[in-house]
């Protein structure tokens, strides 16, 4: 099933690309009836959604099948969460959300891993928190350490998740509410990708949530042993 999923997602990319080009070319035509334009714009949105779905499904399947081996190198989590707070601040502002960053460690924390994939995982959690928090709400990114683990926490006071849904939220395509992913443009694979990335880094992820009170996602990653060869500069 895993191999079929990867193959199917791969094969879908070309026809979807062709469909996208055909629709966009038609939309560029000088004269199009309003009803036709509306239908083409609907098709364009659906093609974009399916393209994202195919790409995410292919990426997740390859990661789970270890066909995308993680390139381990020292990654500074202080820099990573700081960059994410800066990058996603405009999105939070657009939703009237107060995005906060709390770094509760005095020294840079390094983990061994792929900085791009860790960036994607934490960014997904922050983006979800912003999307599912009402205007004037608060989303907090927190970095701390406990024993030999780095802990990254994404906390919000948004709509929360029902207890019955919590065991399933990391499953592929699971929807807490039927229209949540559709309304935010998601593919239903975001949290499955987050969990796969965290597990590939020998870490774990937990969630604590209550309806109408908010959610807290906690990522635990093993800290790289201190080495005099590692400077406090960002790893690029």
């Amino acid at each position: 099933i895993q191999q079929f999923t990867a193959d199917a997602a791969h094969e879908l990319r070309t026809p979807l690309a062709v469909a996208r080009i055909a629709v966009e070319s038609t939309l560029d035509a000088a004269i199009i009836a309003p009803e036709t334009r509306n239908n083409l714009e609907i098709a364009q949105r659906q093609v974009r959604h399916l393209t994202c779905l195919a790409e995410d499904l292919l990426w997740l399947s390859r990661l789970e099948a270890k066909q995308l081996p993680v390139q381990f190198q020292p990654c500074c989590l202080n820099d990573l969460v700081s960059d994410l707070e800066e990058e996603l601040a405009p999105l939070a502002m657009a939703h009237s959300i107060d995005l906060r960053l709390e770094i509760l460690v005095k020294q840079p924390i390094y983990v061994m891993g792929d900085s791009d994939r860790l960036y994607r995982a934490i960014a997904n959690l922050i983006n979800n928190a912003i999307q599912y928090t009402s205007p004037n709400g608060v989303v907090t990114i927190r970095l701390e350490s406990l024993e030999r683990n780095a802990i990254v926490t994404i906390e919000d006071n948004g709509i929360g998740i029902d207890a019955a849904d919590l065991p399933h939220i990391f499953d592929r395509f699971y929807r807490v509410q039927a229209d949540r992913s559709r309304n935010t443009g998601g593919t239903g694979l975001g949290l499955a990708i987050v969990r796969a990335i965290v597990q590939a880094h020998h870490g774990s992820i937990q969630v604590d949530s209550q309806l109408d009170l908010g959610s807290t996602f906690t990522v635990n990653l093993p800290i790289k042993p201190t080495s005099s060869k590692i400077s406090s500069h960002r790893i690029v």
Side-chain angles (χ1 to χ4, degrees):
I1 293 174
Q2 190 175 64
Q3 186 61 49
F4 169 77
T5 301
D7 291 344
H10 181 270
E11 293 300 323
L12 281 171
R13 294 192 300 174
T14 298
L16 284 171
V18 172
R20 177 180 58 81
I21 293 171
V23 171
E24 291 177 352
S25 298
T26 307
L27 280 170
D28 288 338
I31 301 176
I32 300 178
E35 183 177 349
T36 301
R37 178 173 294 277
N38 181 65
N39 290 335
L40 286 170
E41 288 174 347
I42 292 173
Q44 183 183 46
R45 289 194 296 270
Q46 293 303 314
V47 168
R48 286 176 178 172
H49 176 77
L50 286 172
T51 300
C52 291
L53 175 59
E55 293 292 345
D56 281 352
L57 195 55
L58 177 61
W59 198 88
L60 178 60
S61 297
R62 287 178 172 175
L63 182 64
E64 291 178 339
K66 302 187 185 310
Q67 295 174 354
L68 292 174
V70 177
Q71 301 299 317
F72 286 93
Q73 61 179 350
C75 174
C76 181
L77 292 183
N78 303 58
D79 290 337
L80 188 147
V81 297
S82 296
D83 286 350
L84 281 169
E85 187 273 336
E86 181 178 353
E87 179 180 326
L88 294 176
L91 175 64
M93 186 178 300
H95 286 76
S96 300
I97 301 296
D98 182 7
L99 182 61
R100 302 174 182 176
L101 174 63
E102 298 179 0
I103 298 181
L104 306 180
V105 291
K106 295 181 179 179
Q107 300 295 328
I109 295 182
Y110 286 85
V111 298
M112 292 300 294
D114 187 315
S115 59
D116 289 339
R117 293 184 187 175
L118 287 173
Y119 195 95
R120 178 175 184 175
I122 304 303
N124 187 291
L125 294 176
I126 299 171
N127 184 69
N128 280 355
I130 293 172
Q131 295 287 352
Y132 299 130
T133 298
S134 301
N136 302 316
V138 178
V139 172
T140 302
I141 311 165
R142 186 177 299 112
L143 173 63
E144 53 193 325
S145 63
L146 179 63
E147 298 178 348
R148 298 307 304 163
N149 285 323
I151 302 173
V152 180
T153 305
I154 310 301
E155 180 180 354
D156 67 68
N157 59 355
I159 63 176
I161 304 168
D162 188 89
D165 291 310
L166 287 176
H168 309 289
I169 62 170
F170 294 104
D171 296 345
R172 296 184 183 191
F173 304 115
Y174 187 81
R175 298 181 188 275
V176 176
Q177 296 176 5
D179 60 346
R180 276 176 53 138
S181 292
R182 293 190 184 92
N183 288 343
T184 57
T187 62
L189 293 172
L191 289 178
I193 289 175
V194 170
R195 181 175 63 176
I197 292 173
V198 171
Q199 290 178 342
H201 287 79
H202 311 294
S204 62
I205 182 169
Q206 294 84 35
V207 58
D208 180 31
S209 185
Q210 296 184 53
L211 279 177
D212 302 320
L213 294 179
S215 303
T216 301
F217 285 82
T218 304
V219 175
N220 288 270
L221 297 166
I223 294 177
K224 182 187 184 303
T226 303
S227 171
S228 59
K229 294 181 180 180
I230 298 178
S231 71
S232 60
H233 295 295
R234 184 171 306 167
I235 302 296
V236 179

